[in-house]
Amino acid sequence: MGRTYKSGRTVLAVVLVVLTMIGFGYRLYDIQIVNHEFYAAQNNTVRTYTVPLPAARGEIVDRNGNPLVTNRQGNSIVLNAAYFPSAEENDARNAIILNLINLFNASGEAFVHNLPLKLSGDTVTFFTEEDSDRYETDIATMKSRDMFNLQDYATAQNCFDAMVEKYGLEALVQAGDLATALEIGNVRYELTRLLFSVSNPVTIADDVSDKTVATIKENAADYLGADVQVVAYREYTDSTLAPHIIGTVRKINAEEYARLKNEGYGIEDEIGESGIEAAMEPYLRGTPGELTVTIDGDGNVTEEVTKQPAQGDTIVLTIDKDLQKLAQTELAKTCLSVDYYRSTGAVVMENCTNGEVLAAASYPTYDLKDYYTKYNELIKEDNTPLYNRFAMGTYAPGSTFKPMMAVAALQEGAITEDTRFNCDKVFKIRDMEFKCTDWHGGENVRTALRDSCNVFFYNCSQRLGIEKMNLYGAMFGLGDKTGVEIPEAKGILAGPEYRKRFDMTWRPGDTVQAAIGQSDNLFTPLQLCNYCASIANGGTRYQMHFVKARISNATGVVNETGANVVRTIDADEQNINVVKEGMRMVATEGGPSYVFDQIDTPVACKTGTSTVVVKGNKHNNGFLITFAPYDNPEISVASAIELAGSGSSTSQITAAVIDYYYSHNSNEKKALPEGTLIN
């Protein structure tokens, strides 16, 4: 029995071996004879890769087609994995990178430095906030599993040691050349961080000189794998013009890439960071092209552009560049004259027939070309030049709130245009006293606006109540966003609803204070300008906007933004006209009259002040809302100057921009033949 069992197993084994050999033989015959051409081709064309080609961003122009942001061609140095030594060849990679670093340093070229380590003498330390605003995130990324795989508590020296080991830099460290090791490590780290591959070349130096480009091309063997890529860089016709509106562009960060990669973004793409550059990012970014890279079995590389990149759309802004420049100049002049070191402010001009922002300036301001190189200095300046005061700054509006109060009181029947309240400089409610600026005697609504009589509007508040006051405040958009494309603050409309959020009680005296633009009221200059526009045009609140049109790069089609009515104010024309008449009296008989008398355009306005405490001392901020021309309103202007003392002291800015607008309004330059834009 035993022999029989053994014999059976032997036979089975022999049969299996024979069958296996027959199978291998047939497979070999199929590969070498039957399908030889197919498999030979497969061996010849080993791999095909698709490399994205960056597209130029769209241009940004003013309302008349004058260029504000364009592109210029420059050269970046890119490492291409199809020609670069493999990851296992540390010495070869490091030698080429060192050649490039030496060239960059000799030519004064900046190159990548995203590894958050630096040398202080012979000590390795982490980046601090002085080196990068993202230093904490960058340090965490460096320690992550995908990079150096270190614990959270790892020191800077631990990170440096991990870098040296990962990239084979021990010889440099042993020779005491820590600086060179760190420079090479920076470039190697960038390759790791950006997932360097044939499909993903990595830029290591931007905007290099023609001399550097020539050196690399003429000495290709020393810089194996280094390629020159022609890139479109942002160019500003005036980099100081409207920086808070235009905004900035930068390389995409890891969090943004993770969120946007399914929308076609690459890990090295640029993205709008702020302003219109960010708001119109989907249209400005353009469509990347494609480069197909093929590597055959012998390592030969061929490249072919299979899709051309397409530039992004042109964005036409509502602002007029010359008017914007004047607004910035006059705003700076006023702030410097008020308090050279501490005064700040904003001014906004709007077309009150459609919501277009014609100019918007914030002071102090900054230069777009210096934004990244001087960022750490800018964020430390006491007067915060990066802060957008016309959109994000919120202020107690003072007496500029009174025209709204007058409309509400007239419309609700709390007063008529002939109602008179006597002002003896003091208004009493219960055991509280509220003051006026002067002893005005009998005032009606028109003269109360002219004289800015607090007592008149204290009385209105008692007849209206805070709910009615806020109903009309909300209609005019106070304490609400205006709808502009860039970030803006919502502000606060004072009242019980707001106080409830903080478990605070609304008291009768608060209603009195709110009636003259004090209490918790906080509005942006954008809101004040839009509110004034709604009075000027007879009660229509338009959505404010900075984008006039978008011109498609692909088709040339002009997509106009157009006017968007947000709300029609529930107020009779006659009641609004009474308020406008009172505002006209401010311009002709009030404090600003000495300025407005000097321009040809008739205007109507309302001044305002609010008290602030600076380092223990009380000061007044000054505000002014204005519309023009009085008989057929077309524009509204709002200005806010911190520490100005009074609203009248801001009138020179307003007079200057209005006078310029009506002196130059017909001077259009048609610079965009693709579409017709009507001013």
Side-chain angles (χ1 to χ4, degrees):
M1 289 291 294
R3 287 191 193 132
T4 302
Y5 177 71
K6 265 187 174 179
S7 177
R9 291 187 62 184
T10 301
V11 171
L12 180 61
V14 170
V15 170
L16 288 174
V17 169
V18 171
L19 289 175
T20 300
M21 292 181 67
I22 292 172
F24 277 124
Y26 177 78
R27 182 61 176 160
L28 187 62
Y29 173 79
D30 178 68
I31 291 172
Q32 293 188 341
I33 307 298
V34 178
N35 291 304
H36 168 73
E37 291 184 4
F38 171 79
Y39 287 108
Q42 289 293 302
N43 187 51
N44 247 355
T45 306
V46 178
R47 290 178 297 273
T48 299
Y49 305 90
T50 300
V51 179
L53 296 175
R57 289 180 73 80
E59 297 186 348
I60 301 175
V61 301
D62 83 342
R63 66 184 299 107
N64 301 315
N66 297 302
L68 302 175
V69 186
T70 57
N71 299 299
R72 65 172 175 82
Q73 287 192 337
N75 299 304
S76 62
I77 304 303
V78 176
L79 287 180
N80 190 332
Y83 305 95
F84 199 59
S86 68
E88 291 76 23
E89 300 174 274
N90 269 326
D91 290 344
R93 281 193 167 192
N94 292 342
I96 293 169
I97 289 172
L98 181 57
N99 289 341
L100 286 165
I101 289 171
N102 289 335
L103 173 61
F104 294 153
N105 287 335
S107 305
E109 309 282 10
F111 59 96
V112 292
H113 195 167
N114 290 315
L115 178 69
L117 296 175
K118 61 182 179 180
L119 283 176
S120 296
D122 291 332
T123 304
V124 180
T125 63
F126 288 128
F127 273 11
T128 65
E129 61 182 349
E130 293 182 354
D131 304 298
S132 168
D133 61 318
R134 289 175 52 85
Y135 72 99
E136 291 179 332
T137 302
D138 292 341
I139 292 170
T141 298
M142 176 178 62
K143 295 178 182 180
S144 68
R145 179 180 299 179
D146 294 333
M147 301 307 295
F148 293 164
N149 194 23
L150 297 172
Q151 298 295 331
D152 292 342
Y153 52 78
T155 66
Q157 186 63 49
N158 294 150
C159 295
F160 181 82
D161 293 342
M163 178 202 76
V164 169
E165 181 180 358
K166 185 178 181 71
Y167 301 133
L169 299 167
E170 292 87 352
L172 286 169
V173 174
Q174 289 168 6
D177 195 353
L178 303 185
T180 300
L182 190 57
E183 283 191 319
I184 294 173
N186 263 301
V187 177
R188 294 293 303 273
Y189 179 80
E190 188 76 350
L191 301 185
T192 305
R193 188 179 73 87
L194 296 183
L195 308 176
F196 181 56
S197 68
V198 176
S199 297
N200 193 38
V202 170
T203 300
I204 60 170
D206 282 307
D207 207 10
V208 301
S209 67
D210 291 341
K211 182 180 178 181
T212 297
V213 169
T215 301
I216 290 174
K217 287 186 173 182
E218 291 168 4
N219 301 275
D222 294 331
Y223 307 108
L224 190 65
D227 195 9
V228 178
Q229 187 173 69
V230 178
V231 178
Y233 291 101
R234 270 331 212 184
E235 183 90 337
Y236 305 100
T237 53
D238 181 351
S239 55
T240 66
L241 190 74
H244 297 95
I245 299 173
I246 291 170
T248 54
V249 177
R250 57 160 169 75
K251 290 289 179 98
I252 195 169
N253 62 40
E255 295 85 352
E256 290 163 338
Y257 173 67
R259 188 178 75 249
L260 297 171
K261 62 183 178 181
N262 292 333
E263 296 180 24
Y265 280 83
I267 199 166
E268 280 213 287
D269 280 1
E270 286 196 327
I271 190 169
E273 179 182 31
S274 62
I276 293 298
E277 291 277 21
M280 303 305 289
E281 170 66 20
Y283 306 108
L284 284 168
R285 70 176 294 249
T287 304
E290 290 181 357
L291 176 72
T292 298
V293 179
T294 304
I295 305 176
D296 66 20
D298 296 324
N300 298 313
V301 181
T302 57
E303 299 178 352
E304 180 186 2
V305 176
T306 49
K307 179 183 177 183
Q308 291 289 343
Q311 184 173 350
D313 294 346
T314 296
I315 301 300
V316 184
L317 299 186
T318 57
I319 67 171
D320 176 292
K321 76 176 183 67
D322 294 327
L323 183 65
Q324 175 70 27
K325 188 70 174 179
L326 178 69
Q328 291 180 201
T329 300
E330 291 296 325
L331 176 63
K333 188 188 301 182
T334 298
C335 289
L336 291 172
S337 66
V338 166
D339 187 316
Y340 189 89
Y341 297 102
R342 297 183 299 169
S343 183
T344 62
V347 61
V348 181
M349 178 187 280
E350 174 187 356
N351 184 326
C352 59
T353 68
N354 56 23
E356 292 180 352
V357 181
L358 303 173
S362 178
Y363 180 83
T365 185
Y366 64 98
D367 191 323
L368 282 166
K369 74 178 186 322
D370 295 336
Y371 177 77
Y372 288 109
T373 58
K374 296 184 178 179
Y375 179 80
N376 289 329
E377 298 172 35
L378 290 169
I379 59 173
K380 292 175 183 176
E381 288 192 20
D382 291 340
N383 284 349
T384 57
L386 299 181
Y387 186 59
N388 183 351
R389 286 172 169 80
F390 63 76
M392 300 300 292
T394 55
Y395 303 91
S399 295
T400 58
F401 193 72
K402 290 173 181 175
M404 185 283 295
M405 284 291 299
V407 171
L410 288 165
Q411 187 64 27
E412 290 297 314
I415 61 171
T416 69
E417 59 184 285
D418 298 318
T419 299
R420 300 179 73 85
F421 294 118
N422 185 60
C423 171
D424 59 3
K425 206 174 180 180
V426 177
F427 180 81
K428 294 182 179 180
I429 177 172
R430 299 184 182 177
D431 58 345
M432 295 175 288
E433 286 189 352
F434 299 91
K435 300 293 180 65
C436 193
T437 56
D438 206 345
W439 195 305
H440 293 117
E443 295 267 41
N444 62 33
V445 65
R446 293 180 181 85
T447 61
L449 287 168
R450 178 195 65 193
D451 300 333
S452 202
C453 177
N454 289 346
V455 168
F456 185 91
F457 292 99
Y458 292 154
N459 279 283
C460 289
S461 74
Q462 298 309 291
R463 295 190 178 192
L464 277 172
I466 190 62
E467 287 77 15
K468 289 291 185 184
M469 289 163 55
N470 282 357
L471 174 65
Y472 283 85
M475 283 187 202
F476 280 105
L478 297 174
D480 200 3
K481 295 183 178 182
T482 66
V484 291
E485 296 84 353
I486 64 177
E488 59 176 324
K490 186 176 181 180
I492 299 167
L493 188 59
E497 185 178 342
Y498 173 73
R499 289 281 179 90
K500 283 179 183 176
R501 300 179 202 171
F502 306 98
D503 295 323
M504 297 171 65
T505 303
W506 183 262
R507 303 184 186 281
D510 294 317
T511 301
V512 174
Q513 289 289 82
I516 60 167
Q518 301 285 350
S519 183
D520 300 323
N521 284 314
L522 292 174
F523 311 133
T524 66
L526 282 176
Q527 288 172 20
L528 292 175
C529 190
N530 202 29
Y531 143 61
C532 182
S534 300
I535 292 174
N537 65 32
T540 301
R541 176 157 65 97
Y542 290 99
Q543 179 177 333
M544 296 183 83
H545 54 282
F546 285 106
V547 177
K548 184 175 179 64
R550 174 174 57 86
I551 303 176
S552 169
N553 181 61
T555 64
V557 172
V558 179
N559 299 284
E560 295 266 3
T561 301
N564 179 30
V565 177
V566 177
R567 178 70 185 262
T568 300
I569 311 302
D570 298 332
D572 298 338
E573 181 180 359
Q574 173 57 22
N575 290 333
I576 292 179
N577 284 339
V578 168
V579 174
K580 290 162 72 172
E581 290 166 9
M583 294 176 70
R584 174 62 176 158
M585 292 170 70
V586 178
T588 57
E589 303 174 32
S593 61
Y594 74 98
V595 174
F596 290 132
D597 283 347
Q598 299 174 34
I599 63 174
D600 295 331
T601 307
V603 307
C605 66
K606 184 68 193 81
T607 57
T609 59
S610 61
T611 303
V612 291
V613 178
V614 179
K615 295 182 179 179
N617 299 315
K618 288 186 177 181
H619 299 270
N620 283 335
N621 291 336
F623 306 91
L624 184 67
I625 58 173
T626 309
F627 66 84
Y630 171 67
D631 294 322
N632 186 25
E634 183 184 4
I635 57 173
S636 63
V637 182
S639 57
I641 307 296
E642 297 178 28
L643 312 182
S646 70
S648 295
S649 62
T650 75
S651 56
Q652 185 58 51
I653 305 171
T654 301
V657 294
I658 290 176
D659 190 50
Y660 181 90
Y661 181 81
Y662 285 106
S663 299
H664 298 77
N665 196 26
S666 60
N667 184 24
E668 287 191 8
K669 300 178 180 67
K670 298 296 182 183
L672 288 174
E674 302 96 322
T676 302
L677 299 176
I678 300 174
N679 214 10

